[in-house]
Amino acid sequence: MSLSRREFLQMLAVGAAAGLVGDDLISRRAMAADKNSSALYDLPAFGNVSLLHLTDCHAQLIPTYFREPNINIGLGGAKGRPPHLVGEALLKHFNIAPGSIEAHAFTYLDFEEAARRYGKIGGFAHIATLVKNLRASRPGRTLLLDGGDTWQGSATSLWTKGQDMVDAQKLLGVEIMTGHWEFTYGAERVKEIVDKDLKASNIEFLAQNVNDATWGDLIFKPYVIREINKVPVAIIGQAFPYTPIANPRYLIPDWTFGINDDNMQKMVNQVRSKGAQVVVVLSHNGMDVDLKMASRVTGIDAILGGHTHDGVPAPSLVTNKSGKTLVMNSGSNGKYLSVLDLEVKGGKVTDYRYKLLPVFANLIPADKEMTAYIEKARAPYLGKLTEKLAVSDSLLYRRGNFNGTFDQLIIDALLAVQNAEIAFSPGFRWGTTLLPGDPILMEHLMDQTAITYATATVNNIAGDQIKVIMEDIADNLFHADPYYQQGGDMVRVGGLQYTLDLTQTHGKRIQNVVVNGKPLQASKKYKVAGWASVQPIEPGKPVWDVVADYLRAKKTVHVGRPYTPQLKGVTGNPGYAPI
């Protein structure tokens, strides 16, 4: 489907509701009557180069719900600035009207009510329609960039080793990508996809910061220069720098990663010397790292970033010794598509327009070709995907510095099924949201757990070691220097309570640890359940089977307020809105 801008906006105005029934019809009619909804995609072309960017879709081919965080704490220089703003503080900073469709897109506020009003987000068939129409309104001057975390996050992506998403990328028309969770399929599989699938479809996989551990040679191309509307545009790839730490090193034993500022500067200088008039970094650093990189590396016009899943409505403008750099982050789960329009004159960027477009499935009709592909790709697995495990009477979500309700459910299952005193679940930021009354299908559980190293574990761990583990994870999240942060969230805990003092440094943040009502004993060993160990372990029962057994037995689940530790040092922080 390719429509003129006028035809596209007319289609949105009538809600595209033909043939719909029930909640979807009610939602689309409500959205059609909402002036903010009808104007959402009114995006006139500007300039002579347009970059389209999506990132961290985590293999979500079909529309879902995804709740934004109510806790995203920034400390030191990061306090009070994007991306560390939530709820009303975010609305005020970006001048977004409370109660509007954009307020729902960018915050957790009134999530359940707004989700029922506006419907699901994302889905590659809806993204495809949006991309096609943006390309039609900007003929010959667009480039579609994918920031990575694309091949992981669903049952079908796990079962096909990422192939369902690779084929979706090809059909969508992705032109350049970088990676992170892609690497968890192992070096051999990544190279197979890059050398065969992507090369055959003229998709570049870029990373200036992934090298051979023995010889130091680059594993992937560091950059490409594409002529867009007669303007030489350089795209430099930046893969997730901490992949061998945050994920199992044994999956990529011969590759090294890192931020590699010095080499990034060399790459920028190199593409400039080759005539690039626009220099863009396609990054999977996480936004705080991107902001620091923008202050240190000069000559970059824009950083289109991912990893930390921050949906930030406007760019941050960072000053460095030779100019300014725009830093953007485009959210996750296929929920947003960034549009960066650049005006390039006299060999340099002179002006820009930016819009982070929420992808509302009830506003944008599904592309027929992509719909047919998705149905075909999912068909062999529908029996397993649609198994009803239980019904939730709670809002189930994962996103925030501490436990979400879906995290809490996983923790409760680990404690019960593994008969453990303590349970740990990793602070992943991917995973879809369910509304109260929704059935919990196997697909939804896999959305939270589908990784290549998901074995559930039970270990006896001494109290002092438990504290060390928690201190290390807290430092990864709250270190004062963004270059020492890894971009995830705090480990989710069950059976254990603690105080987290954010005014302290490594080794002193975790305080007053209590296990089942008693102080943690340094020398005592506790039975600890967990999953997603980055160390090589014997194959065992995957965590989704453990949680599925728990859900089948429960039939209906209620998750109350998710556990948040006692926090010190958060008074007045605009990234903290406890509920």
Side-chain angles (χ1 to χ4, degrees), residues 252-283:
I252 41 169
D254 301 320
W255 296 354
T256 64
F257 293 70
I259 295 173
N260 297 4
D261 271 356
D262 291 343
N263 195 62
M264 178 62 78
Q265 187 66 71
K266 290 178 183 178
M267 295 300 98
V268 173
N269 296 343
Q270 193 172 117
V271 297
R272 289 289 185 188
S273 71
K274 291 183 176 182
Q277 297 178 16
V278 180
V279 177
V280 173
V281 173
L282 179 61
S283 167

Side-chain angles (χ1 to χ4, degrees), residues 30-168:
M31 293 175 81
D34 185 330
K35 291 181 180 180
N36 290 324
S37 298
S38 60
L40 194 62
Y41 303 106
D42 187 2
L43 195 64
F46 174 82
N48 50 355
V49 172
S50 296
L51 303 175
L52 311 181
H53 177 244
L54 71 161
T55 190
D56 296 89
C57 76
H58 284 285
Q60 296 304 312
L61 284 174
I62 62 175
T64 63
Y65 296 110
F66 188 77
R67 177 191 181 275
E68 297 300 324
N70 61 291
I71 302 178
N72 187 0
I73 298 170
L75 301 174
K79 180 181 178 180
R81 73 176 190 182
H84 301 290
L85 301 167
V86 299
E88 293 175 358
L90 184 147
L91 298 184
K92 182 177 180 180
H93 182 89
F94 292 107
N95 195 29
I96 297 173
S100 66
I101 189 170
E102 288 185 297
H104 172 53
F106 293 111
T107 75
Y108 69 92
L109 297 169
D110 302 315
F111 181 82
E112 181 185 343
E113 179 183 350
R116 295 192 189 281
R117 173 178 173 82
Y118 295 117
K120 294 181 178 181
I121 53 88
F124 263 54
H126 304 277
I127 296 171
T129 295
L130 190 54
V131 167
K132 285 182 178 181
N133 283 281
L134 288 165
R135 281 173 165 158
S137 68
R138 294 156 169 78
R141 66 197 217 204
T142 64
L143 200 61
L144 178 58
L145 311 178
D146 184 329
D149 278 6
T150 303
W151 307 346
Q152 176 277 332
S154 72
T156 55
S157 63
L158 179 67
W159 296 335
T160 65
K161 298 182 180 179
Q163 193 65 49
D164 66 330
M165 297 309 303
V166 172
D167 292 340

Side-chain angles (χ1 to χ4, degrees), residues 514-558:
V514 174
V515 179
N516 295 323
K518 297 180 180 179
L520 182 76
Q521 299 179 43
S523 60
K524 179 180 176 180
K525 289 195 172 183
Y526 296 86
K527 188 176 181 181
V528 180
W531 66 287
S533 172
V534 298
Q535 302 301 322
I537 58 176
E538 292 294 324
K541 195 170 186 177
V543 69
W544 53 78
D545 281 348
V546 173
V547 181
D549 288 345
Y550 175 82
L551 291 173
R552 292 185 187 108
K554 295 284 285 187
K555 294 185 172 40
T556 299
V557 294
H558 173 78

Side-chain angles (χ1 to χ4, degrees), residues 189-322:
R189 176 59 176 154
V190 172
K191 290 293 286 182
E192 177 185 32
I193 292 173
V194 171
D195 294 340
K196 295 181 180 178
D197 291 90
L198 301 192
K199 185 177 181 180
S201 299
N202 199 31
I203 301 174
E204 299 281 7
F205 191 104
L206 305 180
Q208 70 87 23
N209 60 328
V210 183
N211 299 83
D212 179 89
T214 302
W215 305 106
D217 297 335
L218 284 166
I219 301 298
F220 307 101
K221 285 184 181 180
Y223 63 81
V224 294
I225 300 177
R226 295 277 180 91
E227 188 167 285
I228 307 298
N229 198 23
K230 299 183 180 181
V231 177
V233 177
I235 309 295
I236 305 171
Q238 177 80 357
F240 180 52
Y242 298 111
T243 300
I245 301 171
N247 307 102
R249 181 180 293 275
Y250 63 81
L251 294 170
I252 41 169
D254 301 320
W255 296 354
T256 64
F257 293 70
I259 295 173
N260 297 4
D261 271 356
D262 291 343
N263 195 62
M264 178 62 78
Q265 187 66 71
K266 290 178 183 178
M267 295 300 98
V268 173
N269 296 343
Q270 193 172 117
V271 297
R272 289 289 185 188
S273 71
K274 291 183 176 182
Q277 297 178 16
V278 180
V279 177
V280 173
V281 173
L282 179 61
S283 167
H284 205 90
N285 278 333
M287 190 165 177
D288 286 332
V289 178
D290 285 337
L291 290 167
K292 181 174 179 178
M293 175 176 278
S295 73
R296 291 164 57 90
V297 179
T298 65
I300 301 170
D301 293 300
I303 300 177
L304 290 165
H307 180 59
T308 41
H309 294 196
D310 300 304
V312 182
S316 296
L317 190 60
V318 179
T319 301
N320 51 56
K321 66 181 182 181
S322 70

Side-chain angles (χ1 to χ4, degrees), residues 470 493-499 511-518 563 565-566:
M470 294 177 67
V493 301
L496 176 153
Q497 295 81 42
Y498 65 102
T499 296
Q511 304 170 1
N512 306 322
V513 184
V514 174
V515 179
N516 295 323
K518 297 180 180 179
Y563 175 69
Q566 181 71 35

